[in-house]
Amino acid sequence: MKGLQGKTAIVTGASSGIGQAIAVRLAAEGCNVVINYRSDAEGAEATAQQAHEGATAAGYPSQTLKVQADVSQVADIKQLFDTAIATFGRLDILVNNAGIQMEAASHEVSPEDFDKVINVNLRGAYLCARAAIQQFLQQSQPGSIINVSSVHEVIPRPQYISYSISKGGMGNLTRTLALEYARQGIRVNAIAPGATETPINDDWVDDPQQEAIVNRHIPLGRPGTPEEMAAATAFLLCDEATYITGQTLYIDGGLTLYADFREPWSA
Ligand code: NAD
């Protein structure tokens, strides 16, 4: 895709799932990719290997760098950005992908568990965006940010109150930063995946019966793949999307189309 070659990208939570696919895709588009991971060093190494294979096949000399950092920790974020910038000399792209979810009835969620999810999904995303924007402003060329949100940016999610709030907040994080830094040429967008085949969904991925139940709710009749999320991310970051900012792109097989309205309710 136009304009991605030679850029430097940080992808948080890139040792599995959507983050892994995004890191691999960006490397195949010619980006140098910083693979952030929290604890899964093996997953990060798998990402690096796939990224290398993809870049080689595409004929790009993309490099990768694995950096362990917990995005809920301020000191870790500083170390992540310092290491990335010291290695590649610049930063062009941040993908805020790291995310967790915890299930419990809303009246029973402990304050500690609530904070845990918000601290990774929303506060972590903001603090990484803050560090990226500080670097973008020091450079001659502005950069671009993608927040990995969710259909739960707009669809309420009972039993997952902290996740629901974090993704709702991510919509406003995207729009607020987009507006605040548009004059400097910094673009901020979000992708909002629907049900996607990744480890976060291991309660139904690899269970055909459970997956059939999930599929019934999706107008296109199947879950999304991490690669489909990565393709949309690459598009929003590339030079075909230079007039797009502050938007959330729903990549959800129609999940946000109110599937209950597929048939008329009454004659
Ligand atoms: P996943 O569990 O494979 O990926 C989440 C990644 O975040 C993991 O690699 C994990 O190690 C990392 N992570 C968690 N806490 C972290 C921390 N404190 N610091 C750094 N990294 C951390 O699942 P996924 O589906 O690939 O999720 C990626 C993103 O996509 C998440 O933000 C998730 O909310 C979002 N999403 C997923 C779906 C889906 O159906 N899979 C749908 C909508 C949105």
Side-chain angles (χ1 to χ4, degrees), residues 213-227:
I213 294 170
V214 171
N215 290 348
R216 281 209 293 275
H217 295 283
I218 304 171
L220 283 182
R222 66 167 178 86
T225 65
E227 290 72 25

Side-chain angles (χ1 to χ4, degrees), residues 8-258:
T8 296
I10 292 178
V11 183
T12 67
S15 57
S16 63
I18 294 169
Q20 181 171 66
I22 291 172
V24 170
R25 177 65 189 254
L26 292 181
E29 296 291 345
C31 292
N32 296 319
V33 183
V34 180
I35 298 164
N36 160 247
Y37 65 100
R38 181 191 43 184
S39 54
D40 181 8
E42 229 172 82
E45 177 54 28
T47 306
Q49 279 184 17
Q50 289 175 38
H52 179 68
E53 285 163 19
T56 306
Y60 291 121
S62 316
Q63 295 173 50
T64 59
L65 173 73
K66 292 168 285 174
V67 184
Q68 192 279 326
D70 178 340
V71 300
S72 67
Q73 302 300 318
V74 174
D76 282 25
I77 292 174
K78 180 172 169 19
Q79 186 246 337
L80 168 64
F81 280 77
D82 285 353
T83 310
I85 293 159
T87 304
F88 294 114
R90 58 179 298 108
L91 181 68
D92 305 287
I93 291 165
L94 166 68
V95 180
N96 269 321
N97 166 78
I100 56 172
Q101 59 184 20
M102 293 172 100
E103 182 179 5
S106 293
H107 67 285
E108 289 174 345
V109 174
S110 72
E112 292 75 23
D113 282 353
F114 180 85
D115 287 351
K116 215 171 175 178
V117 174
I118 297 292
N119 283 345
V120 175
N121 296 13
L122 190 55
R123 179 176 176 269
Y126 162 62
L127 291 176
C128 286
R130 174 177 173 266
I133 291 169
Q134 285 173 3
Q135 177 64 20
F136 294 163
L137 294 175
Q138 282 179 30
Q139 298 174 175
S140 51
Q141 269 189 320
S144 187
I145 296 175
I146 296 291
N147 293 320
V148 180
S149 181
S150 164
V151 289
H152 298 295
E153 186 176 311
V154 290
I155 301 176
R157 193 177 185 197
Q159 313 288 332
Y160 288 86
I161 188 71
S162 51
Y163 187 83
S164 215
I165 290 173
S166 73
K167 297 301 184 179
M170 201 164 226
N172 222 338
L173 174 68
T174 302
R175 289 191 296 277
T176 303
L177 293 178
L179 183 57
E180 191 166 344
Y181 295 99
R183 282 276 162 80
Q184 284 86 6
I186 295 169
R187 295 187 303 112
V188 185
N189 290 293
I191 63 158
T196 309
E197 286 175 330
T198 71
I200 214 171
N201 288 323
D202 55 12
D203 51 342
W204 57 264
V205 171
D206 299 329
D207 180 338
Q209 274 180 335
Q210 287 301 317
E211 186 164 338
I213 294 170
V214 171
N215 290 348
R216 281 209 293 275
H217 295 283
I218 304 171
L220 283 182
R222 66 167 178 86
T225 65
E227 290 72 25
E228 287 171 318
M229 307 307 145
T233 301
F235 165 70
L236 286 171
L237 289 168
C238 87
D239 283 356
E240 304 288 357
T242 43
Y243 207 49
I244 303 176
T245 196
Q247 304 302 307
T248 296
L249 179 57
Y250 289 85
I251 310 159
D252 64 357
L255 204 54
T256 40
L257 295 176
Y258 298 91

